[in-house]
Amino acid sequence: MSTTLAAASHSLSFTLPQELTVIVLCALTAFISHMALAVFNDGARPFMLDFIQGRSTRSAMTAVSFGLSAGFIFGLGAPMALSTGVLNPWLVFLPTDILGILSPKKWLAPILGGAWGAVIVFGLNGANNVAHDLPVDFITAMQQMSTPILFLFALFPVLAITKQFGKLRGGIAGVVELALVVMTMKLWPNMFAGALAMAVGVLMLIGFAIDKDMRQRKADRAAADAAGSPEDAGAGEAADDPMASLFSASAARLRKYLPLFMVLGAGVCLLAQMHIFGGGEATSFLIAKGDYSGAAQVDFYRVFGFIPLIATTALASGAYGIAGFTLVYPIGYLLPNPWLAVIVGALVFACEVLALSWIGRVLGKLPSVRDSSEHLRSAISETLGLAILFGSLMAANAMGGGLGILIVGGLYMLNEAMGRVVVRMAAAPAAVIVGGIILNLLYWLNLFTPVKG
């Protein structure tokens, strides 16, 4: 299976329904952010409780949101959209987080969000065309990132298993995944090579975690029986737990706005169904290739790493995730028509919001499963960080040979030395764009000849 995209495999030119969907959804997400009901940035969500309860000002919360999001917007969201021709959540939802919180008036938030949506649908294609017409086409070169991102991403369950359950189980998982990738490439060449491997890896991780929790609970019950303690010991203390009271109040606050969340779920699912949006780095390249089932599998496996984080931060802060548990992404990719996407997306979000309290209680009883989600997220970041860096250096070589590698690699290392002015995951793609601009300037100064092909 060839995973390197052709130069114009996906266009940033949208149809009228697609343009309207993006603009309206950006307006809606900015409004919801203004109401402090949901934000996309997981790092900003824990700060929302102080904002909701009036202990933090709107300007202070805006500064937090901007500081946590700006690097991802300009260093990852924009480069990924330009290189794949597919929109992504860092470009669509992170700016509306900021604009919604920034807006001093409720009516202004959707206007600002809609304006950002218009910038996306009307501005990206022009920027894309200009970049492709340059002597050094760094946008096409960035498509070199697809292969390392798609293949290295498949290893994130192996890393998670190794970190949580040790070298032996991690080694076994690695061998199993490698065998499955080779088998998939041999027997099903039209299938995304990492799909089956990731599925088995994630199932192994969850299986190990549940087994550990079940054995621990059995040991705890045996110890309690031996000590003559009642099974419900501590129930009275739990009833007076201030965190339980906070979780209950947050869940009730979110349920109060259930109809609004259902509209949000409908919009996000519709955007995914239109196949102009990918929920992650690997997903964007798969959507660009037209492999919607592969994209659905990738985003479905990512869900397991984010449900505990999103559920607990939502219950602790009273602010949900703009994309919920992100289940609407893979569902949307696979649905056959937009009307069904609207209905299903609304129902999925309704179920998620109504089930938050129950999910919180279940996670409280499965500490190893909670830990698994932490390890999954960490492993996803590590694999993608390496893949994006390696892919960015491949892009640098494609557009400028050794000089391109020197400039892009140098910018990345300079960012590290300066204390990561741009977040690490976004630094390499941002360096490719800056490097491409520098190479074009050198060409116009007669100091550089573009690499052929």
Side-chain angles (χ1 to χ4, degrees), residues 12 18 29 35 40 84 87 109 117-118 131 135-136 184 225 261 277 302 314 326 381-382 388 401 403 411 432 440-441:
L12 279 166
Q18 291 170 343
T29 53
M35 298 281 289
F40 181 78
T84 63
L87 301 178
V136 180
T184 302
D225 290 342
F261 281 114
F277 175 90
R302 288 172 68 116
T326 70
S381 295
E382 288 186 29
I388 290 172
L403 180 60
L411 288 171
V432 174
N440 277 291
L441 291 174

Side-chain angles (χ1 to χ4, degrees), residues 151-162:
F151 279 88
L152 288 177
F153 182 73
L155 291 174
F156 76 86
V158 177
L159 266 66
I161 290 171
T162 304

Side-chain angles (χ1 to χ4, degrees), residues 41-127:
N41 194 315
D42 294 321
R45 197 173 304 115
F47 295 93
M48 295 298 289
L49 181 62
D50 285 343
F51 178 60
I52 291 168
Q53 296 182 347
R55 295 193 298 269
S56 177
T57 64
R58 188 169 292 278
S59 59
M61 191 64 222
T62 301
V64 169
S65 183
F66 182 83
L68 292 171
S69 302
F72 287 103
I73 296 169
F74 301 109
L76 188 61
M80 287 298 297
L82 290 170
S83 61
T84 63
V86 176
L87 301 178
N88 56 69
W90 306 288
L91 186 65
V92 177
F93 299 139
L94 286 181
T96 59
D97 277 3
I98 300 168
L99 292 171
I101 297 170
L102 170 69
S103 175
K105 301 293 183 182
K106 188 181 296 186
W107 58 266
L108 182 59
I111 294 175
L112 294 175
W116 175 252
V119 169
I120 293 173
V121 296
F122 297 121
L124 276 181
N125 195 43

Side-chain angles (χ1 to χ4, degrees), residues 44-381:
R45 197 173 304 115
F47 295 93
M48 295 298 289
L49 181 62
D50 285 343
F51 178 60
I52 291 168
Q53 296 182 347
R55 295 193 298 269
S56 177
T57 64
R58 188 169 292 278
S59 59
M61 191 64 222
T62 301
V64 169
S65 183
F66 182 83
L68 292 171
S69 302
F72 287 103
I73 296 169
F74 301 109
L76 188 61
M80 287 298 297
L82 290 170
S83 61
T84 63
V86 176
L87 301 178
N88 56 69
W90 306 288
L91 186 65
V92 177
F93 299 139
L94 286 181
T96 59
D97 277 3
I98 300 168
L99 292 171
I101 297 170
L102 170 69
S103 175
K105 301 293 183 182
K106 188 181 296 186
W107 58 266
L108 182 59
I111 294 175
L112 294 175
W116 175 252
V119 169
I120 293 173
V121 296
F122 297 121
L124 276 181
N125 195 43
N128 190 51
N129 291 336
V130 169
H132 281 308
D133 290 337
L134 292 172
V136 180
D137 184 357
F138 54 86
I139 298 301
T140 298
M142 288 184 70
Q143 294 169 2
Q144 296 288 330
M145 292 194 297
S146 64
T147 300
I149 285 177
L150 290 174
F151 279 88
L152 288 177
F153 182 73
L155 291 174
F156 76 86
V158 177
L159 266 66
I161 290 171
T162 304
K163 289 185 175 184
Q164 187 172 6
F165 297 105
K167 299 174 184 177
L168 177 61
R169 291 184 182 182
I172 293 171
V175 172
V176 170
E177 281 212 12
L178 176 60
L180 290 172
V181 169
V182 173
M183 183 179 73
T184 302
M185 295 176 71
K186 183 69 175 177
L187 300 179
W188 305 290
N190 294 324
M191 178 181 175
F192 169 46
L196 184 58
M198 280 190 291
V200 172
V202 171
L203 288 174
M204 289 175 71
L205 175 65
I206 295 173
F208 290 149
I210 292 176
D211 176 66
K212 182 178 179 179
D213 283 335
M214 293 300 100
R215 285 189 285 106
Q216 184 61 49
R217 291 185 67 182
K218 184 181 294 185
D220 290 344
R221 282 197 298 269
D225 290 342
S229 303
E231 288 190 6
D232 60 347
E237 290 85 343
D240 297 327
D241 184 358
M243 286 304 295
S245 176
L246 174 62
F247 280 18
S248 177
S250 296
R253 177 178 187 263
L254 296 175
R255 286 196 299 269
K256 178 182 175 183
Y257 293 94
L258 184 62
L260 188 58
F261 281 114
M262 292 177 70
V263 174
L264 175 62
V268 176
C269 194
L270 174 61
L271 184 65
Q273 193 278 332
M274 288 179 164
H275 300 148
I276 60 170
F277 175 90
E281 301 88 345
T283 314
S284 294
F285 283 109
L286 290 169
I287 293 290
K289 285 167 52 66
D291 186 358
Y292 307 131
S293 62
Q297 291 179 73
V298 168
D299 273 354
F300 178 71
Y301 304 142
R302 288 172 68 116
V303 168
F304 294 103
F306 287 89
I307 283 181
L309 171 68
I310 294 169
T312 52
T313 55
L315 289 169
S317 69
Y320 197 42
I322 285 293
F325 294 146
T326 70
L327 275 170
V328 287
Y329 292 166
I331 291 171
Y333 302 148
L334 298 177
L335 290 176
N337 66 72
W339 297 110
L340 190 58
V342 168
I343 295 169
V344 173
L347 292 176
V348 168
F349 256 52
C351 292
E352 289 181 7
V353 172
L354 292 174
L356 268 177
S357 294
W358 177 79
I359 292 171
R361 289 194 297 271
V362 170
L363 291 173
K365 299 176 181 178
L366 298 172
S368 294
V369 173
R370 292 201 312 273
D371 291 344
S372 292
S373 74
E374 297 283 346
H375 289 295
L376 273 177
R377 290 197 308 279
S378 173
I380 288 172
S381 295

